[in-house]
Amino acid sequence: MASATSSTVDGAAGGGIHLPDTARDLVKILVTGPFGVGKTTLIGSVSEIRPLHTEEQLTEASAHVDDLAGVREKSTTTVAIDFGRISLPGGIVLYLFGTPGQERFRSLWDDIAHGALGALVLVDARRIDASFDVLGLVEETGLPYAVALNTFPDAPRHHTPEQLRAALDLEPTTPMVTCDAREANSSIDSLLALVQHLIDHRPAEHR
């Protein structure tokens, strides 16, 4: 893969359905994180094709399994996958697979993760502990990953990056960035951080 250096991506969020002629590396990426963290929003903000969503309305039956603490305004949840596509500089095309963060969907994980090169893990700074299970699952899978702290208006602002990294127990080499999943450029920057991480840890002969 070529080096990822720019947050300006031609054709993002609304381009044609066909792959660009410059496409060289087709890369499967997981976008994951706990319930209500913004996975569907992020994929929708950057996809150059109409994204696929498999969302359903939350019901009373899910009240005891979907913790709404901190996300009371949320009324839907992904029950299978989200899917989108974005072309990056250097001929890299990312196929984005959003994965449900709830434990009851864990059986889907192996199928969805098959063939992925890495994962972008979204984290809600208001609910750090909600991310532990997802981070553990990603690490069990052995996928390289980057962490994106999705900003919310009522998120605490007094934590330093070092404190957040320590709370998430991240390795020193794991990228951690801040993003607004609603904003295309911000979301693209998070994906670029992951892509650069994959490039840096790829054998030199394949870079």
Side-chain angles (χ1 to χ4, degrees):
M1 292 187 295
S3 179
T5 59
S6 173
S7 63
T8 301
V9 179
D10 293 335
I17 63 173
H18 301 292
L19 281 173
D21 294 337
T22 55
R24 183 163 55 87
D25 291 308
L26 309 182
V27 182
K28 180 179 181 180
I29 295 295
L30 301 186
V31 178
T32 189
F35 171 72
V37 77
K39 303 179 291 292
T40 300
T41 300
L42 184 142
I43 290 175
S45 74
V46 302
S47 182
E48 64 195 10
I49 60 173
R50 183 177 180 180
L52 167 69
H53 299 307
T54 55
E55 288 199 315
E56 295 293 341
Q57 290 293 318
L58 290 170
T59 65
E60 291 183 7
S62 68
H64 67 290
V65 289
D66 290 328
D67 184 3
L68 291 175
V71 287
R72 292 291 175 186
E73 70 283 0
K74 187 166 176 60
S75 61
T76 61
T77 185
T78 299
V79 296
I81 63 169
D82 295 311
F83 175 76
R85 189 190 77 203
I86 179 172
S87 301
L88 298 179
I92 301 171
V93 178
L94 303 185
Y95 290 99
L96 306 176
F97 288 77
T99 66
Q102 297 95 304
E103 179 64 26
R104 68 182 185 276
F105 295 118
R106 183 164 182 156
S107 60
L108 295 172
W109 180 268
D110 288 341
D111 288 338
I112 297 174
H114 181 72
L117 289 191
L120 181 67
V121 181
L122 288 179
V123 171
D124 184 345
R126 303 170 302 177
R127 304 178 293 130
I128 291 290
D129 57 344
S131 302
F132 295 157
D133 287 345
V134 178
L135 285 168
L137 186 56
V138 173
E139 290 174 353
E140 288 174 20
T141 309
L143 286 174
Y145 67 94
V147 169
L149 294 166
N150 192 13
T151 57
F152 291 88
D154 57 342
R157 308 291 180 181
H158 56 277
H159 298 309
T160 66
E162 292 75 19
Q163 289 172 325
L164 290 169
R165 293 186 70 91
L168 293 167
D169 194 24
L170 299 181
E171 294 289 336
T173 57
T174 301
M176 187 185 75
V177 298
T178 300
C179 81
D180 183 339
R182 301 167 299 179
E183 298 292 335
N185 281 342
S186 182
S187 297
I188 290 167
D189 283 343
S190 298
L191 291 167
L192 285 171
L194 171 61
V195 170
Q196 191 63 59
H197 182 54
L198 298 178
I199 292 170
D200 290 345
H201 289 79
R202 201 175 189 191
E205 64 271 19
H206 297 303
R207 290 180 186 171

